[in-house]
Every structure is written in C-alpha cells, then in structure tokens.
Amino acid sequence: MEFERVKLDIAGDVATLTLNHPEVMNAVSPEMLGGLMAAFDEIENPKNGVRCVMMTGAGRGFCAGANLARPTAESNRTPDSGRILETLYHPFLRRIRNLQMPFVTAVNGAAAGVGMSFALMGDLVLCARSAYFLQAFRRIGLVPDGGSTWILPRLLGKARAMELSLLGERLPAETALQWGLINRVYDDAELIGKANELAADLAHGPTKALSLIRRLYWESLDNTYEEQLNLERQSQRIAGNSEDSREGVRAFLEKRPAKFKGD
C-alpha cells in the first residue's frame, strides 16, 4: 500500500513500514506524517491481522530529520516550530508509544534529528554497520525534540545525552551498541533480512503479553517502585486470563512449542 511519502507492506502478521522519500534521505514533512498516520490506521485495523511492525527507510538513509527545504505557504514568516511539534509530530510519537504490538526499527543509514527520535522509539533497534545517529539540532540553532531529551538521558545518562546534543557529533552504530542505545548491529546487506526474521518471531508470540510488556517498561521510567509493582499485578492479571497464556502453559506441560494466536 502506498501512502504520502510512506510505503506499507503487510505479509501475514508482520507490517513493514518504509519511510519513502529517498531523494531527501526520508526527511520528515507534514505529508509524510500524514502518510504515517494513515498507514497506522491500516496496521491497527483488526481485519489486517498485524501483530508486529518493522519500520525502516528507503534508499541510503533511515531519516535525515525534518525536511527544512520544504516550501511553506507563509514563506515570509518564521514557522511556529512548537505548534508544528504539537499538531503533527507528537500525535505520531504518542501513537507509537501506545501501539498494542511490538515495534522494531531497522536503521539502514543516517538517523538524524527527529529521525533519531523515530529510530529510538523501537522496542528493538537494529542497525546496519554503516548507520549512525546525529543530534543535529544545534547545527541549525534549535533544541532537541521528538522526545529525545526524555529518552536519551534515560538510556545513556545525562553526560552522554548532553554530549550528543551540545556537540552534535555523529554516533556510529558500533558505538551506539557499546553505549547500550541500540540492540544489534548487522552487516548492511543483512539488516533487513535479520529485521524481518526478528519481527516474524515477535509476531508469532503472545501479542497481548508483549503489548503489556511494552507498557510496563514505558511506565517504569517514571513510576515509583510501588507504582510499578501495582502495574505488574494489573498486567499479570490481564495476561494470565488470555488464551495465549493458557496455551503457553499447556505447551510447557506437554513439552511442545506453543502456538500463540495473539488472543
């Protein structure tokens, strides 16, 4: 399926979402964000049976950040960047945050600016060996956005988050792996195949439990210990009442692989 600056392929229970404006290294525009939201309408439509999403970029880059060269109707006026974030970017980021299935990113090249934020929204972040990350905002006199000032210090600590943002230096995939920012690095030619294998494995898992796991870890970043214990209790009650949990227990007792259906 083709959307504005976005391509969506659904094969079985895996959706592959491709940022599709390679001429500008998939720089984000309002049109692309609209295309992404429309694609997620299809992904979240139960009739399509999607149980895992993998997102990557077309061409030689994942996402170069916001498309600064895009002409505006009010070319003589400075755009309200805060309003653009609030009305266009934040709804998309929240949609990923609240997705009821695993979300994998396959970073096939540069992930700069808000493109870095998109990449790091992955529950699992896989990178090509040639890929790199860049907090490019300071180069154009802006501050980091796309949630990066929330996620980077939590993943890397304040010192490294500040370094990336204040200096605006490239962070190669191998270093990002060493720092614990991403999960795996593959040779460039292997990335998409490996990402598809991992996405298929997740799609065949207990979708309800995996969705609850996503929520638990997102919430844990701000919860107190007691709040997290309570959330675990609530989540385990839901997971334990699922058909997939019953199937998992039966399979364990019968010493066979479980056949999860996402119920």
Side-chain angles (χ1 to χ4, degrees):
M1 286 175 271
E2 296 285 344
F3 300 93
E4 191 76 21
R5 308 299 190 194
V6 173
K7 182 180 179 183
L8 175 65
D9 295 296
I10 298 177
D13 42 20
V14 175
T16 299
L17 189 61
T18 305
L19 306 178
N20 193 28
H21 196 183
E23 298 84 356
V24 291
M25 289 183 65
N26 306 313
V28 184
S29 61
E31 291 82 8
M32 178 182 283
L33 288 165
L36 285 166
M37 294 296 272
F40 267 89
D41 287 342
E42 293 294 328
I43 288 167
E44 294 182 308
N45 187 333
K47 74 176 184 181
N48 289 322
V50 176
R51 294 168 60 188
C52 183
V53 182
M54 189 272 281
M55 186 167 81
T56 191
R60 60 190 180 90
F62 179 78
C63 177
N67 190 344
L68 301 177
R70 180 181 177 274
T72 64
E74 299 176 336
S75 57
N76 294 324
R77 296 178 59 185
T78 301
D80 183 343
S81 298
R83 184 184 63 80
I84 292 170
L85 287 173
E86 181 180 8
T87 58
L88 296 177
Y89 286 86
H90 292 175
F92 173 63
L93 291 167
R94 291 188 180 106
R95 193 155 189 182
I96 297 176
R97 160 71 172 78
N98 296 317
L99 190 63
Q100 300 296 302
M101 64 189 75
F103 181 67
V104 177
T105 52
V107 185
N108 56 308
V114 77
M116 181 173 177
S117 298
F118 284 7
L120 296 181
M121 289 295 290
D123 304 317
L124 294 172
V125 184
L126 317 178
C127 284
R129 207 167 298 281
S130 65
Y132 65 88
F133 298 91
L134 179 65
Q135 283 287 291
F137 301 95
R138 57 93 69 194
R139 298 187 177 191
I140 54 173
L142 293 176
V143 303
D145 60 28
S148 56
T149 61
W150 183 87
I151 200 166
L152 285 176
R154 285 166 170 79
L155 293 178
L156 298 177
K158 177 185 173 184
R160 282 176 168 162
M162 290 282 276
E163 178 182 347
L164 287 174
S165 300
L166 291 176
L167 299 182
E169 297 175 339
R170 289 188 181 190
L171 179 67
E174 294 282 5
T175 306
L177 181 64
Q178 294 168 12
W179 284 9
L181 188 65
I182 65 175
N183 297 95
R184 299 179 185 180
V185 174
Y186 298 104
D187 290 339
D188 289 23
E190 294 183 325
L191 174 66
I192 299 302
K194 293 293 186 181
N196 283 330
E197 288 177 12
L198 191 146
D201 181 64
L202 290 169
H204 297 157
T207 308
K208 186 171 291 185
L210 297 180
S211 173
L212 290 166
I213 290 169
R214 292 187 86 238
R215 181 187 174 206
L216 281 165
Y217 280 107
W218 274 103
E219 297 288 343
S220 74
L221 296 169
D222 288 319
N223 278 350
T224 65
Y225 182 66
E226 288 299 324
E227 288 170 336
Q228 197 64 17
L229 287 178
N230 288 332
L231 186 58
E232 287 179 352
R233 170 179 54 80
Q234 296 162 12
S235 300
Q236 200 67 290
R237 178 177 293 148
I238 296 169
N241 285 327
S242 69
E243 180 55 38
D244 275 346
S245 178
R246 288 187 280 271
E247 162 61 10
V249 172
R250 286 194 299 267
F252 175 79
L253 295 175
E254 295 169 8
K255 296 181 172 57
R256 61 172 174 82
K259 297 179 180 179
F260 297 119
K261 297 181 179 179
D263 302 322

